[in-house]
Amino acid sequence: MALFKKKGKTKTEAELLAASPDGAEIDAEEVMRKYDRESNTRIWEGVPKIAFTVILVAFSVYCMAMTLLSVEQAEARLARFLAFIVVIGYLMFPARKTGHKVNHIPWYDLVLMLAGFGAFMYFALNCTDILLMGARIQPLHVALGVVGILVLAELCRRCVGIPIIVVVACLVAYAFYWQLTTGNNVAVYDALRKIVQKLFYTTSGVIGTPINVCYTYIVLFIIFGAFLERTGIANFFIALANRIAGWSSGGAAKVAVIASALCGMVSGSSVGNTVTTGSVTIPMMKKTGYRPPFAGAVEAASSTGGQIMPPIMGAAAFLMAEYIGIPYLEVAVMAIIPAFLYFAGIFISVHLEAKKLGLKGIPRHELPTFKYLLQNCYLIIPLVLLVWLVASGARTMAVSAAISIAGAFVIGFINFLLTNWRERAEGASFGSVFGETCKMALFTTIDAFAAGAKNVISVAVACAMAGLIAGCITVTGLASTIINVIVMAAGDFLIIGLVFTMLCCIVLGMGVPTTANYCIMASTCAPILMALGINPICAHFFVFYFGIVADITPPVALAAYAAAAIAKAKPMATAVNASKLAIAAFIVPYIFAMNPSLLLQGDVTTATVALNMTTALVGLFGVAVALNGFLFKSKVNPVLRVALVAGGLSMMIPGSLSDVVGFAVVFAICLFQWLLGRRAKGDATPVEAAVPALEDDANDMEAAR
């Protein structure tokens, strides 16, 4: 499908993907395998591939049918769901990243798969009897529970990562220790039995709220996302972003910001979106003059920000509505201002960098035409349909997702039909075009169902681990202990409690998919903030934001590392740049935690919201200039950079006095830089003037490494 025009010729996305500015081919699949554990899968070919695809499609259809129609006991449904997750998970994910053999699965993986499947399926088939036993479960049940948890933990290591496993292991060990020390001479076996009964056979553990939410809602939204991606909506978003901002100074990076925000809100994966859109946008940024670490950082920060972009927020918006107990539409509306500030911060930084380097925009004749946008705007209909159905409340969330999946199928079919008709061979009849379209639609549907099932695995496993985390904290009373410690440490200084919670969120969010990430944060970290007196809605947004930015926060910054691989830049330098670009994500949550009006909470007026947005934007501009070190064609003095940070942050603190002081500082420094730039106007080109600042940035990067 043609996206760009240049001197009468078309340039397709495939051509953009084919080569980077230095002529080296970009292997997006290899990058995904290296940095996205969800993409590090076994290689199946021939008949085994067909058989595995059939299993995946059957699993997706089963999940949809059970979610919409089943009234079976929750424990049985969830245990059976995890049994199937274990089977598909071990068929998909090898023990190591390298050394894959085609159509090969080692014997020990088969043993683990069958053991895990047997443990969960035994529970599903004997659910009623086991639940009636309570804490009197037999040694067989204890052994099956231990096997099930260990097999699931190993699968989590393969498809999610080690950080969450370390957290779970520490909490389970603490729960076991707590059982041994708080009872009256409790035997080791008795302690183990109580722990296994709580964590495996009740809804306070593996089959707790997170996995229930995954089974009930997340699966359908993931399948919807897989269908939506295959309608060609990503191409449309990239073309739209080019038309909006491609012509401006440093337009390639601004295109990356907009396109990644739009694609990322649907994809639900920071790393996946970084590689998908970054394969197009990063080479474009490098070609127009951006340094590789900066180009990779723009894509990583923008793709990560896509997860907080309403109205979808990587499907987290729907989950947030369920967790908090408010209408979905309210969640989507409340997310608008923080998301706007986040991307405004990146936009400002990108613009400052473009001016510092003297970069131009993409020539207008290379941009997508309005005709292309008008011809393809119907691709967003499934997205609009989903938002409308959920917001109207006329259907349940599950039914709304199912209808939207059907809508995505119809739109995809129309897209294939129109594309085939435009590209038909001379003399081809409508019947032959329609037949080819039906064939494409069938294979695309199979591919979408299979991709949806694949994407469910890592999310479901992470949700199961989140259930273990919540279960251990609940069983041991650790939640109240942690809350009391943080409350006592914070004292009268709320900021201390917010910082501690932020650190917890970043650690727990490392490498975890968006939806599972929110489930973990809502279960473990949000209660801490609510105990500190934070508005519940603000608390949930706060922990969600910091759970998401773990993907660009060193040292575990998977989205930044994936972008660095495409940009051929040093990973840590890219991660540092991404953190600087996404500085709004580290500031805005503190603003709405202390000033809920930014989330439209409390007694707010239009004037109050407008004032808060304005002061926040000016503050973000001051901080961005300080981090960039260049304004109005001249380098900013280090002392003034510190003053800009202080002034910018002052404008984000609630209160008229701090706003006035901060504005005065930022305005005075900007005026000084403007006068300085005018005086030096004829003395140096923007690139020449930027050399000292570039050298400073290089030194900063070297120090970070």
Side-chain angles (χ1 to χ4, degrees), residues 6 53 98 101-102 111 121 207 209 272 345 392 411 443 447 464 467 491 593 621 634 672 681:
K6 183 177 181 180
T53 301
T98 57
K101 295 180 180 179
V102 178
V111 171
M121 191 56 73
I207 55 172
T209 300
S392 67
I411 293 300
F443 283 110
D447 183 41
F621 176 78
S634 61
F672 173 77
K681 185 175 181 180

Side-chain angles (χ1 to χ4, degrees), residues 411-607:
I411 293 300
F413 185 88
I414 293 173
N415 185 38
F416 292 147
L417 182 61
L418 293 176
T419 302
N420 287 337
W421 183 253
R422 286 194 295 264
E423 299 176 356
R424 69 189 186 281
E426 185 177 351
S429 65
F430 178 79
S432 62
V433 172
F434 186 80
E436 181 65 22
T437 300
C438 291
K439 184 177 176 182
M440 289 178 64
L442 174 62
F443 283 110
T444 301
T445 300
I446 293 173
D447 183 41
F449 273 126
K454 287 181 179 180
N455 295 337
V456 164
I457 303 304
S458 59
V459 175
V461 172
C463 285
M465 293 297 106
L468 283 177
I469 292 172
C472 291
I473 290 175
T474 302
V475 167
T476 61
L478 189 60
S480 59
T481 303
I482 293 174
I483 290 172
N484 290 335
V485 169
I486 292 180
V487 170
M488 290 178 61
D492 296 329
F493 299 97
L494 177 61
I495 190 70
I496 297 176
L498 292 174
V499 170
F500 284 156
T501 307
M502 174 193 74
L503 296 176
C504 291
C505 293
I506 291 175
V507 171
L508 292 175
M510 291 177 179
V512 180
T514 299
T515 46
N517 193 315
Y518 173 68
C519 289
I520 294 172
M521 301 308 149
S523 303
T524 58
C525 297
I528 298 175
L529 294 183
M530 288 186 278
L532 290 169
I534 300 293
N535 179 296
I537 294 174
C538 297
H540 278 261
F541 269 93
F542 184 95
V543 299
F544 177 57
Y545 267 54
F546 280 114
I548 292 301
V549 298
D551 281 336
I552 54 172
T553 305
V556 183
L558 295 182
Y561 292 171
I566 297 174
K568 296 179 175 58
K570 293 187 176 180
M572 190 55 67
T574 305
V576 171
N577 269 296
S579 298
K580 289 167 62 177
L581 287 170
I583 190 65
F586 296 92
I587 298 174
V588 171
Y590 286 93
I591 301 176
F592 59 63
M594 295 185 288
N595 185 9
S597 63
L598 207 61
L599 289 177
L600 308 180
Q601 296 298 294
D603 186 16
V604 296
T605 63
T606 303

